Amino acid sequence: YQRRVHGTLSECLFFFAMGDGLASALHELEVKNGAKQAIECLEVTLRLLGNLVAEPGEEKFRRLRCRNATVRQKVLDVRGGLSLLMVAGWRRTAAELEEWLLFHGDVDSLPALITKLEVRLAALQAPLAGATAGSRSAQAERQRQEVLQRIADDRAAWRPPPRHETVPRPTETRPKQPARAK
């Protein structure tokens, strides 16, 4: 069994850092579609996830109608698009005689996912912009550096959740109160 790796070392490390589900969804998205389709899919997915992070309690951002033209054309009809949404926490269901995607994931984990998707989007956009002007590639590099800095800041700021410690019981008993006179 021989496994063939495509792409640069940085791309391989990027996919390794993401975990299997996200890496395979992005790999399918990028390999089985054109760059333009992959970019559009990532942009719509990032918009959907950004809405969830901005307003986590808003019900309209937790439900996607599968027949919605934008969602269907730019995400669901693109190979790897549905997988990407599933990794993010969306689940398919049927309700009201229609097919829906409902968000069942953890909203608190979305900022890290959004950062990873933004890095990948910038990497996909860079070759397309590189042919037009050097300033655009410099801008893409600045965006890439900003995203990498945000990742580093998030890692540095992360602290494990506090442990719940039990409070020791006092060894002394309360003094008895004198009995009330009747």
Side-chain angles (χ1 to χ4, degrees), residues 101-167:
L101 287 169
L102 300 178
F103 184 75
H104 291 287
D106 180 23
V107 176
D108 295 333
S109 67
L110 289 181
L113 176 64
I114 288 171
T115 302
K116 291 175 184 178
L117 294 178
E118 286 174 341
V119 169
R120 201 66 218 143
L121 178 62
L124 283 172
Q125 290 172 332
L128 299 177
T132 58
S135 64
R136 286 189 184 173
S137 61
Q139 182 183 6
E141 181 60 26
R142 278 194 304 273
Q143 287 177 340
R144 181 181 165 278
Q145 290 300 325
E146 289 173 6
V147 169
L148 291 174
Q149 184 61 44
R150 279 195 286 170
I151 292 171
D153 292 346
D154 287 347
R155 284 184 181 157
W158 184 84
R159 299 285 181 256
R163 292 185 148 185
H164 297 289
E165 297 180 15
T166 57
V167 178

Side-chain angles (χ1 to χ4, degrees), residues 41-67:
C41 180
L42 283 173
E43 288 172 343
V44 171
T45 302
L46 283 168
R47 194 173 326 125
L48 294 171
L49 297 177
N51 288 342
L52 277 169
V53 170
E55 297 185 46
E58 187 66 42
E59 187 63 31
K60 71 179 180 181
F61 295 134
R62 294 178 163 271
R63 294 173 44 149
L64 293 174
R65 182 176 283 133
C66 289
R67 68 180 186 145

Side-chain angles (χ1 to χ4, degrees), residues 9-76:
L9 177 62
S10 63
E11 288 174 339
C12 295
L13 291 174
F14 175 79
F15 282 122
F16 177 74
M18 284 190 286
D20 290 335
L22 181 58
S24 63
L26 284 173
H27 181 73
E28 182 180 7
L29 180 69
E30 294 173 18
V31 170
K32 298 187 178 180
N33 301 294
K36 183 180 177 187
Q37 278 186 310
I39 289 170
E40 287 178 347
C41 180
L42 283 173
E43 288 172 343
V44 171
T45 302
L46 283 168
R47 194 173 326 125
L48 294 171
L49 297 177
N51 288 342
L52 277 169
V53 170
E55 297 185 46
E58 187 66 42
E59 187 63 31
K60 71 179 180 181
F61 295 134
R62 294 178 163 271
R63 294 173 44 149
L64 293 174
R65 182 176 283 133
C66 289
R67 68 180 186 145
N68 176 302
T70 303
V71 172
R72 170 137 320 274
Q73 181 184 21
K74 296 189 178 184
V75 180
L76 299 179

